[in-house]
Amino acid sequence: MNAATAPELAGALDQPFFQHAVLAGTAIAAACGLVGYFLVLRAQVFTSDALSHVAFTGAVAALAFGYDPRLGLFTATIAVALLLGALGHRGRTDDVAIGSVFSWILGLGVFFLALYTTSRSTADSRAGVSVLFGSIFGLSAARAQLAAVIAAGICLAMLLICRPLLFASLDEAVAAARGVPVRALGFGFLALVGACAAEATQAVGALLMLGLLAAPAGAAQRLTHRPYRALALSAGLAVAEMWSGLALSYAIPQLPPSSAVIAVATAVYAATFLVPISRKRERIDLAA
């Protein structure tokens, strides 16, 4: 295994492909951190797992019919996220509905993959691998800028609905009684989850994007029980893990960037189990 030397690693930011990866990766990671916090808080992590398979099916379907895979990604993930909300209660997803849709969507993905591989050339079939494992080092300047703008929009939307969504997530009945539009918030949040899943797929791939949504949020919630601090920490950890993973992949060229990012995120989450949580701090957090 060949690793980059220190001078080579220092020059990474001079490389256009690395600059594009950092631009898109930073915005996507921040969006994943914010969205992921509420996925964990609302016990909807299984939703993002299902959407990872939906992302694969949507992208492969678009490829099979000769369209840009991003069109299939966003259309499929947002539409299915809203469908799952409609099948659940007050805009929340239901595990039984997710399990049923999950299997059906995955079956469609296998069909579109077979259609795509039999109708396209061998060179084009590499695009299917990119959908599964991401290709953040292969982003052009235009694609990186577009991904960053969309991710920034997701971040802004999350910050706008953050307060009422937090209220609805912690005590849905009281929030509804006080006039908070719980059902509309649930659907709005699911639409953002779908868009975020499509964005994350471009960075780390459909198979690994669950880690970028769940691991930073899980680590943040283990480190602090204060909601807004955990929300900020989740976004910060996701960005730091993205940067670390990109640098690690650049230093070790044989290590794909998606694998490096998820490995760092998982290691950070595992490390939080070593951090003692004192009863005094728990009392302070619960009183906050």
Side-chain angles (χ1 to χ4, degrees):
M1 184 177 293
N2 298 321
T5 61
E8 290 173 338
L9 191 57
L13 286 175
D14 295 331
Q15 303 293 330
F17 79 90
F18 196 83
Q19 295 170 355
H20 302 160
V22 170
L23 172 64
T26 301
I28 290 171
C32 286
L34 295 176
V35 170
Y37 170 77
F38 281 101
L39 279 173
V40 174
L41 183 66
R42 294 165 66 88
Q44 291 182 313
V45 174
F46 190 32
T47 304
S48 59
D49 187 24
L51 289 179
S52 68
H53 295 78
V54 173
F56 166 72
T57 300
V60 173
L63 287 168
F65 292 107
Y67 292 103
D68 189 318
R70 289 173 295 179
L71 178 63
L73 267 177
F74 282 95
T75 303
T77 52
I78 294 175
V80 173
L82 293 175
L83 173 64
L84 292 175
L87 295 175
H89 173 69
R90 282 186 172 178
R92 283 182 180 257
T93 54
D94 177 81
D95 285 352
V96 176
I98 292 175
S100 303
V101 174
F102 190 134
S103 304
W104 173 59
I105 290 290
L106 195 56
L108 278 178
V110 173
F111 166 71
F112 286 125
L113 181 62
L115 183 64
Y116 172 61
T117 54
T118 54
S119 61
R120 301 287 168 177
S121 68
T122 305
D124 285 339
S125 68
R126 286 178 297 182
V129 177
S130 297
V131 173
L132 288 173
F133 301 104
S135 57
I136 196 166
F137 278 167
L139 292 178
S140 65
R143 287 189 61 182
Q145 290 167 4
L146 180 59
V149 168
I150 294 173
I154 295 171
C155 290
L156 179 60
M158 285 302 304
L159 292 176
L160 288 174
I161 66 170
C162 170
R163 188 177 178 82
L165 183 62
L166 182 62
F167 190 12
S169 302
L170 294 176
D171 198 329
E172 186 177 284
V174 174
R178 293 192 178 183
V180 175
V182 172
R183 182 177 173 82
L185 272 175
F187 278 107
F189 174 64
L190 285 174
L192 291 173
V193 173
C196 193
E199 283 280 274
T201 299
Q202 299 179 68
V204 296
L207 289 182
L208 303 180
M209 65 99 161
L210 177 61
L212 191 57
L213 283 164
Q221 293 202 12
R222 285 192 58 79
L223 293 173
T224 176
H225 292 169
R226 298 187 180 187
Y228 292 112
R229 186 176 295 178
L231 184 64
L233 184 58
S234 177
L237 282 175
V239 171
E241 289 159 2
M242 175 64 72
W243 288 349
S244 301
L246 293 178
L248 189 60
S249 180
Y250 184 85
I252 306 173
Q254 294 86 352
L255 181 63
S258 54
S259 300
V261 171
I262 298 304
V264 173
T266 305
V268 170
Y269 177 67
T272 60
F273 284 85
L274 302 176
V275 178
I277 299 175
S278 69
R279 292 184 177 277
K280 180 180 178 181
R281 196 178 76 186
E282 285 184 354
R283 286 198 296 272
I284 291 173
D285 292 343
L286 290 172

